[in-house]
Amino acid sequence: MTTPPRAVSLRGVEKRFGDVAAVAAVDLDVRPGELMVLVGPSGCGKSTLLRLIAGLEEATAGEVWIGGRCVDNVAPGDRDVAMVFQSYALYPHMTVAQNLGFGLKVRGASREDIGRRVDDVAALLDLAGLLSRRPGQLSGGQRQRVALGRAMVRDPGVFLFDEPLSNLDAGLRLRTRDEIAALHRRLGTTMIFVTHDQVEALSLGDRVAVMDGGRLQQVGTPHEIYRRPANLFVAGFVGSPPINRLPLSRGADGHLAGGPFRFAGDWAFDEATLGVRPEDLGADPEPTGALPGATPADFKTTVLRVEALGSEQRVHLDGPAGAAWIARVSPALEVAAGDRLAVSVAWDRGHLFGPDGARVAAPPCPIPDLRT
Amino acid sequence: MSRPPERTDGGLPAFLPAIVTVAFTAGLAVILLSAAASVNGARERATKNVARMAANLWEIPGAGADAVAQLLGERATIEAVPADGGAPRTRTEPGAYGYRPGALDPSVWIAVASDPDRAPPPRPTTPLALLGILLMIAWTARRRRRPPPPRYPAATLLLAAAFLALVALLAARRAHHELEAISAAHLAHGIRAAEIAVTSGADPTRAARAAGLPWGTTAALADPARLWTMPRAVSEAIAALPPPLRTAPTSTLQAGGATYHIAQTTLPPNTAPPTQSPTAPTPAPTTLHLALLGYEETASPTVPLTAASAGSTLLVAIILSLLPLSARPRALRRTLAAWGFLAPAATLLLVFTFGPLLFSLWISLQEWHLVDPAHPFAGLDNYRNIILDTAWWSSIRNTAVFTLHVPLAMAVALALALLTQGSRRAVRWARLALFLPSITSVVAIAVVWKWLLNDGYGLVNQLLARAGIGPVPWLTSPDTALASLMLISVWMVVGYQMVVFQAGLAAIPRDWYDAARVDGAGPLQRFRHITLPGLRHTLFFVLVTSVIGSFQVFGLVYVMTEGGPLGATDVAVYHIYREAWEFLRFGNAAAMSWVLFAVVFAATWLHFRFLEGRRAHA
Ligand SMILES: Nc1ncnc2c1ncn2[C@@H]1O[C@H](COP(=O)(O)OP(=O)(O)OP(=O)(O)O)[C@@H](O)[C@H]1O
Ligand SMILES: [Mg+2]
């Protein structure tokens, strides 16, 4: 594999379908050799963005740059990108070998050249025994590999994946995810990978771009995305079980208050939302906060339900402001619905979001509530 | 957990064997009755004809009661019309016909009894049928004692079918015997009546026709000038008969595609045929030949008997097929219900689709003439005729050439389908305009195009003349007529094909095109590698249906060119039509239809084979 990895850069890219803005003012830089994951809920414009990069859609505004040149007027086939479709889009009337070689054939590569490269890719993806079959005679996973091979055989500067794993069963999806990660390490090619599965996004991406409503919400490493979500949407979208929320509002004393907690400070807004990840909650039958960073400002509550998942327990709690919270605790903890628990919060890992949803800061430690 | 076994006694299942017997008995009854009916019908028609014949003789001056008595003897009674005038009676009593001679003498009735000598002889078929019914009842009784095993009683069916066929065969042979006798007697009467007419100086042709012997004709061979209405071919054929046959009292003769019965009669010297030369001395005696177009019994019992035995065999087979189910009443009920729902449609299909098909196959094996009630079995003669018929093969060749418009139409339709994708207003109107010919009557289209393409005043030639191009003989030259029809046909079918192609195009996933674009395929390569393979089923469908349709082209030819000029547009179906309705050779026409069917079938089969070969994948 000889082509150097390409950088991809979107500058103010916008795509409207009539009145619908499928993609709005997206600026995104993908570094050469990087595996960038686009993640977001269904209909947020991920596929559209990918198709804009591939050249299958024309941007309403903005520019797409690949490998240091503006490709707005370059046909999809000349952009040095390859794409794997969610449906795989294998040509049903061609054999696997013909499917793999199609891109080379239409470019006028010589027969020997095509044969050699098809064989290389087939060996790499373990497709050698299937070359003379047609897509209709393959399993879902095999089709997926053929689709992958069809992209690889042309040795492109950028790989585009549109939810390539969503048609696979859970086990195969995990395996294929690892294979793609391994492939990326090995080829070192730039890859842009679309998924709506945030676990997949975090596990696979060098960096992750979270989208919603056609806009980029945050671009960052998985750690940044998870630990420092730029806004309430990212915080809520990434993480399973979802982040626990507590609405706050300014009380008579000027502090932000919600449930048993009051946060002293010079706040520029009257409403805010507190977010705490389930693993940042400590639960203990003994009301002595044992979690690092926990303060005595715990709260006591009732267990609503327990999900014992084996490696962890998810404890549904009667939250501090009525809505249920979920705590992720060690399976060693013996707890059952109806038990009383003392819950501690790792405040330095919590998030405070302003009224517009943007993250403000980690909340300070609340003022102990004298009522409890 | 074991369920109690389903009860097999009582209810419908127990009656199935009895129903088989009833169906079998009914089949036998239908066979015997229809054989009897065809004989009785023939006898009655013959009696009616003889009565007519007698009434006709009555009117001949100089014939009258004597002639009637001479012809019919005891069988005819002549009675006065009742004083009150009486209502005209046709049928007086069973087996007898009354006839009132026309205007000349309205005062009498002539009643003719059916031939008393030819009362139905005892039928050996009936005891045989009774024996079969007894056997069947025995079988039923045995069935009712022992529950039926869960398998199809094939032996019973075979026996029943063989029995039904045997009875049908015997009945048919007997009926044929009697029909032949009736026919012979009838013919003898006819010849006799014609002779009486001749000797009375009346028109023997009329006498024969009154006897139901069409186209009776006579000629005095000794004097060709005395020819009445005998076709030249017939008189020549009589003259050419070898002497022993020519002098025999009766013989048969094939001439002009028909069978004539020749009777020889010797005119007494004192009578003369009504010729125009009263002064000439009458040579006496004169030998006169009467040629009567053969009378054949139209109500041949073969078809109804075959139908009756096949139908009752089928019925017995169906009921027998339910027997294995009778151990499982629920399955039986379901099956019966299913057949109940299917029966109306299946009956329609049998009666109106397969029935006519088989009937045309039957016709194709006969010499079948529309106005001639005789249609002797011809075996494969019709097929041999048409295989040797160059006009037929040239019509097949024209059809094949005409079919070449299909690929052209498909190419145009595909191009139009690609151009008119989408839903813009202009595109929608274009689609509508292109589709209109498909929903317009072909006759209307043909008339309009015939007018447009007229050599002299047609719009097309006028426009061409403006452009300085000489008049093109669109439909009037053998070189251009077929091509013109092909172009019009293209124009007619393109809209429909386009719509089908659009449906096919819409079914091709957009992802395939996207993948091909990313792979670097240009528009032509996408068409070649994505569109065409994606459309292959659609293309095949359109190809096969259009080829079949173009093999059946008729309206266009019928209205625009009538097969001309010089047979240049004589296509197969038009040829068949003319064979049947112009030349009245239905046997040939039916045989041609079957040859055409074979050709179309072979073409379709080849298409399928070709496609199968190229379609290993899903
Ligand atoms: N061709 C089109 N015409 C009109 N609207 C479109 C078209 N393609 C996409 N859209 C709209 O653009 C928006 C984004 O679509 P897109 O396919 O990019 O979503 P997505 O993020 O890929 O969703 P999913 O995860 O379900 O695949 C959607 O609201 C969709 O309805
Ligand atoms: Mg999508």
Side-chain angles (χ1 to χ4, degrees):
Chain A
M1 303 291 162
T2 49
T3 313
R6 309 272 187 209
V8 176
S9 169
L10 305 176
R11 304 186 183 167
V13 168
E14 182 179 297
K15 176 67 187 177
R16 309 185 71 88
F17 294 108
D19 291 343
V20 186
V23 168
V26 166
D27 290 293
L28 179 67
D29 280 298
V30 183
R31 299 172 199 132
E34 183 176 40
L35 202 172
M36 169 70 84
V37 176
L38 287 178
V39 68
S42 183
C44 71
K46 311 177 293 285
S47 296
T48 307
L49 194 60
L50 206 65
R51 294 168 60 81
L52 283 167
I53 298 171
L56 295 173
E57 303 280 2
E58 225 169 284
T60 317
E63 293 176 348
V64 178
W65 290 64
I66 295 175
R69 68 178 173 146
C70 176
V71 293
D72 285 350
N73 296 315
V74 178
D78 301 329
R79 289 190 174 196
D80 198 18
V81 301
M83 186 155 169
V84 177
F85 292 82
Q86 178 174 0
S87 65
Y88 309 146
L90 300 179
Y91 312 124
H93 51 281
M94 299 184 197
T95 62
V96 168
Q98 285 166 336
N99 262 287
L100 293 176
F102 183 71
L104 299 173
K105 184 174 151 196
V106 296
R107 273 159 226 271
S110 74
R111 189 181 288 259
E112 302 81 63
D113 208 22
I114 297 177
R116 191 169 42 74
R117 287 168 75 173
V118 165
D119 286 343
D120 284 352
V121 168
L124 194 69
L125 292 177
D126 199 13
L127 289 172
L130 307 175
L131 283 180
S132 58
R133 295 217 204 155
R134 293 187 198 266
Q137 302 164 324
L138 299 178
S139 74
Q142 289 165 337
R143 283 181 220 185
Q144 206 276 343
R145 291 214 301 279
V146 176
L148 207 59
R150 191 172 64 180
M152 282 168 57
V153 85
R154 278 172 33 218
D155 186 19
V158 180
F159 274 113
L160 306 175
F161 296 92
D162 191 357
E163 311 206 21
L165 308 183
S166 59
N167 288 341
L168 304 178
D169 70 52
L172 196 54
R173 191 179 317 171
L174 281 184
R175 257 206 330 276
T176 314
R177 193 167 84 189
D178 293 343
E179 280 172 18
I180 288 179
L183 201 66
H184 178 243
R185 275 199 306 279
R186 181 170 161 168
L187 301 179
T189 315
T190 314
M191 292 184 177
I192 303 180
F193 188 103
V194 164
T195 176
H196 60 256
D197 179 347
Q198 40 101 12
V199 178
E200 207 166 281
L202 298 186
S203 83
L204 209 48
D206 292 336
R207 285 195 301 158
V208 175
V210 183
M211 285 185 77
D212 185 40
R215 293 179 183 277
L216 272 187
Q217 303 295 326
Q218 186 176 3
V219 181
T221 64
H223 186 80
E224 283 167 356
I225 297 282
Y226 193 78
R227 273 294 147 216
R228 296 177 60 83
N231 55 37
L232 199 51
F233 172 79
V234 176
F237 184 75
V238 178
S240 166
I243 199 164
N244 297 305
R245 297 168 190 231
L246 177 66
L248 305 175
S249 55
R250 192 190 294 275
D253 53 4
H255 301 318
L256 282 174
F261 306 118
R262 286 186 307 138
F263 300 93
D266 187 13
W267 306 112
F269 36 78
D270 296 339
E271 307 264 304
T273 307
L274 174 73
V276 184
R277 297 237 176 248
E279 60 271 29
D280 296 334
L281 293 178
D284 202 325
E286 305 291 317
T288 53
L291 222 64
T295 70
D298 301 336
F299 65 102
K300 296 194 179 69
T301 186
T302 314
V303 175
L304 301 176
R305 190 162 93 81
V306 178
E307 293 178 69
L309 298 182
S311 62
E312 67 182 46
Q313 285 192 98
R314 291 179 182 178
V315 182
H316 295 243
L317 305 166
D318 190 8
W325 276 22
I326 299 176
R328 184 188 258 170
V329 300
S330 151
L333 183 72
E334 277 184 29
V335 64
D339 289 358
R340 291 289 292 175
L341 281 183
V343 177
S344 58
V345 180
W347 291 108
D348 58 340
R349 278 186 263 159
H351 313 282
L352 192 62
F353 302 99
D356 57 353
R359 181 173 188 271
V360 180
C365 198
I367 308 161
D369 190 343
L370 301 177
R371 285 169 301 177
T372 36
Chain B
M1 229 175 88
S2 71
R3 275 184 302 160
E6 285 175 294
R7 286 163 55 85
T8 54
D9 52 332
L12 182 62
F15 288 112
L16 276 180
I19 296 176
V20 172
T21 307
V22 169
F24 179 76
T25 308
L28 286 174
V30 169
I31 289 172
L32 294 183
L33 286 179
S34 63
S38 75
V39 171
N40 287 339
R43 180 169 297 137
E44 211 163 281
R45 268 191 304 281
T47 309
K48 196 170 162 186
N49 280 334
V50 169
R52 265 224 320 260
M53 184 192 313
N56 191 60
L57 276 185
W58 178 272
E59 290 190 355
I60 296 174
D66 288 349
V68 173
Q70 197 189 337
L71 179 66
L72 296 171
E74 303 279 283
R75 284 180 67 195
T77 52
I78 299 165
E79 50 180 277
V81 170
D84 59 356
R89 297 173 298 164
T90 47
R91 184 161 189 157
T92 54
E93 60 193 72
Y97 270 91
Y99 215 93
R100 189 150 72 162
L104 275 182
D105 192 353
S107 59
V108 296
W109 283 97
I110 299 173
V112 176
S114 28
D115 201 341
D117 303 338
R118 302 213 55 84
R123 298 163 183 279
T125 336
T126 314
L128 185 65
L130 287 177
L131 174 68
I133 293 171
L134 281 180
L135 284 176
M136 215 47 173
I137 290 175
W139 177 80
T140 307
R142 213 180 56 128
R143 284 273 150 172
R144 279 187 57 96
R145 270 201 310 278
R146 292 193 295 143
R151 63 186 163 76
Y152 191 79
T156 308
L157 176 65
L158 274 182
L159 275 179
F163 206 88
L164 284 165
L166 178 68
V167 170
L169 192 74
L170 288 178
R173 283 190 50 177
R174 277 217 68 75
H176 263 301
H177 256 64
E178 296 188 23
L179 289 174
E180 255 164 37
I182 293 169
S183 194
H186 189 190
L187 187 67
H189 279 309
I191 288 170
R192 197 73 200 98
E195 278 173 7
I196 293 170
V198 168
T199 50
S200 313
D203 180 359
T205 310
R206 214 179 122 206
R209 226 181 272 141
L213 301 171
W215 297 341
T217 182
T218 59
L221 280 185
D223 181 3
R226 288 180 173 181
L227 216 138
W228 262 295
T229 53
M230 184 176 287
R232 179 168 296 277
V234 179
S235 54
E236 279 168 3
I238 294 176
L241 283 176
L245 273 184
R246 182 141 37 101
T247 52
T250 60
S251 57
T252 56
L253 168 75
Q254 300 272 339
T259 305
Y260 289 85
H261 295 269
I262 311 296
Q264 212 191 100
T265 194
T266 309
L267 297 183
N270 60 339
T271 56
T275 45
Q276 302 80 17
S277 47
T279 51
T282 312
T286 307
T287 299
L288 194 70
H289 285 267
L290 298 165
L292 301 177
L293 197 62
Y295 176 86
E296 304 270 339
E297 183 46 57
T298 50
S300 158
T302 316
V303 173
L305 289 191
T306 314
S309 67
S312 48
T313 304
L314 188 67
L315 201 62
V316 168
I318 289 175
I319 303 170
L320 281 178
S321 76
L322 297 175
L323 267 186
L325 282 181
S326 61
R328 294 181 293 139
R330 276 187 51 197
L332 177 67
R333 265 202 302 281
R334 269 206 310 274
T335 311
L336 279 181
W339 276 108
F341 283 113
L342 278 176
T347 310
L348 283 181
L349 199 68
L350 275 178
V351 172
F352 292 110
T353 303
F354 293 116
L357 266 179
L358 290 179
F359 187 57
S360 79
L361 190 62
W362 172 247
I363 291 180
S364 78
L365 300 176
Q366 323 244 344
E367 208 174 281
W368 192 295
H369 194 283
L370 187 64
V371 291
D372 181 4
H375 35 81
F377 188 75
L380 296 176
D381 281 1
N382 291 329
Y383 290 94
R384 202 194 51 213
N385 290 346
I386 62 173
I387 282 174
L388 299 176
D389 179 0
T390 49
W392 163 248
W393 289 113
S394 104
S395 79
I396 289 274
R397 200 194 54 228
N398 287 341
T399 312
V401 172
F402 180 80
T403 300
L404 293 181
H405 85 272
V406 170
L408 176 63
M410 285 174 67
V412 175
L414 183 53
L416 287 172
L418 291 169
L419 285 176
T420 59
Q421 273 176 308
S423 55
R424 274 165 294 135
R425 180 180 289 262
V427 159
R428 286 213 304 270
W429 279 107
R431 273 206 297 256
L432 178 66
L434 287 166
F435 191 64
L436 274 181
S438 312
I439 53 172
T440 310
S441 149
V442 62
V443 173
I445 288 175
V447 167
V448 171
W449 274 105
K450 193 174 177 181
W451 178 75
L452 287 174
L453 295 181
N454 185 287
D455 282 0
Y457 56 79
L459 191 63
V460 175
N461 272 353
Q462 283 188 16
L463 289 178
L464 286 180
R466 292 262 168 88
I469 300 171
V472 179
W474 292 107
L475 298 172
T476 50
S477 156
D479 299 333
T480 51
L482 191 57
S484 302
L485 291 191
M486 288 166 68
L487 287 179
I488 295 169
S489 198
V490 167
W491 176 82
M492 272 171 60
V493 299
V494 142
Y496 164 75
Q497 295 186 348
M498 175 193 74
V499 169
V500 177
F501 284 144
Q502 258 158 359
L505 285 174
I508 301 178
R510 195 181 67 155
D511 274 0
W512 294 357
Y513 286 105
D514 288 344
R517 280 171 72 192
V518 174
D519 270 343
L524 279 180
Q525 285 167 320
R526 289 202 295 275
F527 178 76
R528 159 84 184 74
H529 293 291
I530 307 294
T531 308
L532 279 186
L535 275 183
R536 65 194 185 285
H537 295 297
T538 315
L539 286 166
F540 178 69
F541 169 79
V542 170
L543 182 69
V544 169
T545 53
S546 302
V547 164
I548 291 175
S550 88
F551 266 94
Q552 295 171 344
V553 62
F554 173 73
L556 213 53
V557 173
Y558 182 71
V559 177
M560 296 190 68
T561 61
E562 294 177 21
L566 294 178
T569 58
D570 185 24
V571 292
V573 175
Y574 187 72
H575 194 87
I576 293 172
Y577 164 80
R578 296 222 310 168
E579 190 75 13
W581 296 104
E582 248 172 62
F583 307 125
L584 303 177
R585 293 191 287 251
F586 279 76
N588 270 1
M592 287 174 180
S593 306
W594 278 90
V595 170
L596 181 66
F597 169 78
V599 170
V600 173
F601 185 85
T604 312
W605 185 74
L606 281 179
H607 276 140
F608 270 103
R609 283 300 300 266
F610 181 68
L611 197 84
E612 286 290 304
R614 314 196 56 185
R615 190 180 55 183
H617 58 288

